[in-house]
Amino acid sequence: MGSSMSASGAAGARAQLSAPAVDVAPHLLGALVTTVLPDGVVTVRLTEVEAYEGERDPGSHAFRGRSARNAVMFGPAGHLYVYRHMGLHHCANVVTGPDGTASAVLLRAGEVVEGRDLAFERRTRRGVARSDVDLARGPARLADALGLDLTHYGADVLDPAGVVRLTPADPPPRWLTGPRVGVGGAGGDATAFPWRFWLADEPTVSVYRPAPPPRRR
DNA sequence: GAAACGATTTGCT
DNA sequence: GCAAATCGTTTCT
């Protein structure tokens, strides 16, 4: 499979992404995400992701059904779901599962392997880039380093000519799992599922933060 | 039409 | 370690 990466490769990759997010997530570890924007090219190697199972998952944005914001998650796999968080930040997901389901994988952290200077510059503009390790450690930092924002909502990451490209890698030999970050209050039981995946011995993996206590509405 | 909340990050005490 | 920043989306009256 190595040499040719055109239509058939994309089709195969799309088929793999069409599995449930929980199955796809570990396969994305080690994969490369590349953005080709007017100001340059940045590539990140994914070291941490989280699975979200759509309508049946209290922690998912799609739990309460389809809306204008999460519509892309209900579509075919391989597209980008970008949302704005806390007014300031952006987070990016890769849509998974068959067309009609709303599962997706949140890109939580990665290692910048190409375009380090550009990523550093973007992060410095937004805030303070302390070190290379911090460039893409955390979902909003990752999106910033890649230059992702709402204009990339729905982008096809398997389009070789697209501005956002996902390059699958060989499945990592070993990874770790644990509870997801920051979604404890939403469903309670949701945190019982180890739907966070990360690579061992990676300094770029974001630090674990205990979920906030449940709060009634 | 109005109010509350959030898959976070950063800065300050 | 804790609280503020900041604003679109969702939900309720």
Side-chain angles (χ1 to χ4, degrees):
Chain A
M1 277 310 178
S3 59
S4 176
M5 185 97 112
S6 49
S8 62
R14 178 116 37 212
Q16 286 193 329
L17 291 181
S18 297
V22 176
D23 296 330
V24 174
H27 193 80
L28 290 181
L29 292 173
L32 303 179
V33 178
T34 302
T35 52
V36 183
L37 301 180
D39 56 345
V41 177
V42 171
T43 298
V44 163
R45 172 175 158 267
L46 297 177
T47 58
E48 182 186 5
V49 297
E50 275 178 5
Y52 286 87
E53 288 295 347
E55 294 158 296
R56 76 178 193 191
D57 180 0
S60 171
H61 287 171
F63 180 58
R64 293 229 168 246
R66 182 186 175 121
S67 68
R69 180 173 64 150
N70 64 28
V72 70
M73 276 200 287
F74 287 80
H79 292 260
L80 206 62
Y81 167 49
V82 182
Y83 67 94
R84 204 206 307 262
H85 187 63
M86 290 307 206
L88 301 169
H89 310 292
H90 297 280
C91 296
N93 304 244
V94 172
V95 176
T96 64
D99 195 358
T101 67
S103 67
V105 174
L106 170 69
L107 310 182
R108 279 203 64 87
E111 173 194 9
V112 176
V113 295
E114 181 185 8
R116 176 208 162 274
D117 290 344
L118 177 55
F120 201 94
E121 182 183 323
R122 285 170 177 162
R123 291 277 303 126
T124 304
R125 286 192 66 182
R126 305 280 298 195
V128 180
R130 307 162 200 280
S131 68
D132 286 4
V133 161
D134 282 335
L135 285 181
R137 185 171 69 168
R141 292 169 174 175
L142 178 72
D144 272 347
L146 286 172
L148 293 172
D149 57 38
L150 292 179
T151 65
H152 306 112
Y153 181 93
D156 183 358
V157 301
L158 298 180
D159 178 2
V163 295
V164 186
R165 292 182 45 188
L166 176 69
T167 305
D170 291 331
R174 203 160 301 182
W175 65 84
L176 301 175
T177 67
R180 292 181 298 189
V181 179
V183 291
D189 290 351
T191 56
F193 298 96
W195 284 354
R196 173 173 170 243
F197 305 81
W198 67 93
L199 294 176
D201 301 321
E202 288 286 346
T204 56
V205 172
S206 62
V207 295
Y208 172 74
R209 205 199 304 173
R215 182 177 268 184
R216 294 207 56 199
R217 306 183 25 80

